[in-house]
Amino acid sequence: MKHIVYGLTAVLTTDEAADAVLDYAAALAHAGLTDVIAVPTVDLFGTQTTTSFLLAPALGILVEDAPDDPLGPDTAAFVAEITWRSQAVRSAPPHLPPA
């Protein structure tokens, strides 16, 4: 499990989901793009929930290790989607500002 730290808040999710979010944030920042994503997470009471993030070039996120939690959310579909989005951003033509 890993914490995604965003601003003054940290949320708990699987290693794979946290790594996919970090990779996607890097791809978006490199392309000068933004996106809002909904990450499957676990709250302080162990309840599965969803946390939304705005990923933008000027907004930093931090991913740090956390103790494993057997009640972690199923993030397979989320990881597949975010991995696909990362690949799409990286393979898109450069984003040019309007003239």
Side-chain angles (χ1 to χ4, degrees), residues 1-2 13-20 63 65-66 68:
M1 301 292 287
K2 291 188 179 177
T13 191
T14 64
D15 291 356
E16 297 81 11
D19 293 341
V63 171
D65 290 334
D68 283 338

Side-chain angles (χ1 to χ4, degrees), residues 4 6 20-26 28-29 33-37 39 52-61 82 85:
I4 300 174
Y6 188 85
V21 169
L22 192 60
D23 183 58
Y24 187 42
L28 289 170
L33 300 171
T34 63
D35 197 4
V36 175
I37 59 171
V39 182
S52 295
F53 290 87
L54 169 64
L55 301 179
L59 301 174
I61 63 170
I82 294 302
R85 288 187 194 187

